[in-house]
Amino acid sequence: MSCLFCFSGDKLSPEERKGKYGDAWGQYADNEQTFKVKLCGAPCAEPCCWMGSMLCLPCAQYKVRHMALNHGEPGSGWKNYQCCQGMFGGCCCIQPGNMGEDSCPQCCMCLEGCCCPGMAVSASQGMIMQQHSLGLDEDDVRLIRCNNCLQMLAICASCLNICIECEGDDAIVQFINIVADITFCCVSGCMTARVYHEMTEREKEAPEQYQMQR
């Protein structure tokens, strides 16, 4: 997590708000209210959720998405579920809302958690941010920039590995991929724990509003 502090925590620039990922997060960039706990503080606030999500991210996303759906509409079950909650749009034949969510939402959520874990994490967080008008704090902005940097570095390294024969290049690419995987695992755990913490704390503050059957 310390690598996040190498990046600026300033608000997202107009250029960074472009594209599907930029559009998804850019809408929250100017909101002043933020989560009750910062991203880097989530492991201390919810250690069991953080460790559990790193051990089995798809299972954690299944649980947290169900909580998020019922947090927004208590007692709704899986009624309002969509693939990634439609947050990132669709691609070709993969279109949220037309993936069999109505007939088998739980199965679709399992597939989402296994095949698109990063988007699953972001979608659950986006739901809570939208419902409570939460913005991006400095840790979130650093995360977006760190993720963009790592992805670009991995792409460039892979392309160079294909085009240029160099002793030790495979080891370098493998090292970059390991760093990217570890960063993804830790940050996904932090995001999941923070969303879980936000929901449980708000439900404690107004228990009557969120009474439901889980």
Side-chain angles (χ1 to χ4, degrees):
M1 292 299 293
S2 60
C3 65
L4 292 179
F5 294 99
C6 298
F7 297 85
S8 170
D10 295 339
K11 287 188 176 182
L12 297 178
S13 67
E15 287 296 320
E16 291 174 308
R17 301 188 192 192
K18 293 180 179 179
K20 284 189 176 181
Y21 196 82
D23 286 341
W25 293 116
Q27 60 183 309
Y28 309 115
D30 296 323
N31 291 347
E32 294 300 326
Q33 187 179 1
T34 58
F35 283 89
K36 295 182 182 297
V37 63
K38 283 186 173 290
L39 194 66
C40 293
C44 294
E46 298 291 345
C48 292
C49 181
W50 179 64
M51 289 187 290
S53 63
M54 288 196 296
L55 290 172
C56 187
L57 187 58
C59 296
Q61 294 320 303
Y62 182 95
K63 171 66 175 177
V64 169
R65 182 66 59 81
H66 185 256
M67 288 181 64
L69 289 166
N70 288 272
H71 182 80
E73 188 177 334
S76 63
W78 292 95
K79 183 179 70 174
N80 298 318
Y81 170 76
Q82 279 191 354
C83 179
C84 297
Q85 297 308 121
M87 187 173 177
F88 302 100
C91 178
C92 300
C93 61
I94 302 176
Q95 298 295 332
N98 298 316
M99 302 289 295
E101 296 100 320
D102 291 337
S103 58
C104 197
Q106 293 159 296
C107 218
C108 290
M109 182 60 225
C110 288
L111 288 172
E112 179 189 327
C114 292
C115 300
C116 312
M119 289 184 174
V121 174
S122 296
S124 296
Q125 175 168 289
M127 289 179 66
I128 302 304
M129 293 177 75
Q130 184 176 34
Q131 182 179 352
H132 299 294
S133 300
L134 301 177
L136 299 171
D137 61 29
E138 292 180 355
D139 287 349
D140 291 311
V141 176
R142 289 191 179 101
L143 163 63
I144 292 171
R145 288 173 175 150
C146 180
N147 178 71
N148 291 343
C149 182
L150 281 173
Q151 295 305 317
M152 288 302 298
L153 182 61
I155 291 170
C156 291
S158 297
C159 291
L160 287 173
N161 189 37
I162 294 171
C163 300
I164 301 173
E165 289 293 334
C166 179
E167 185 177 353
D169 56 349
D170 290 338
I172 293 171
V173 172
Q174 186 177 11
F175 174 76
I176 293 172
N177 287 331
I178 289 172
V179 170
D181 289 343
I182 292 173
T183 301
F184 173 80
C185 183
C186 291
V187 171
S188 296
C190 289
M191 291 174 68
T192 302
R194 184 172 67 168
V195 169
Y196 177 84
H197 181 77
E198 188 74 20
M199 289 188 290
T200 53
E201 288 300 306
R202 287 184 180 272
E203 289 171 16
K204 287 177 185 176
E205 291 171 2
E208 298 83 6
Q209 181 181 351
Y210 295 106
Q211 279 182 352
M212 56 183 170
Q213 293 181 350
R214 296 191 183 278

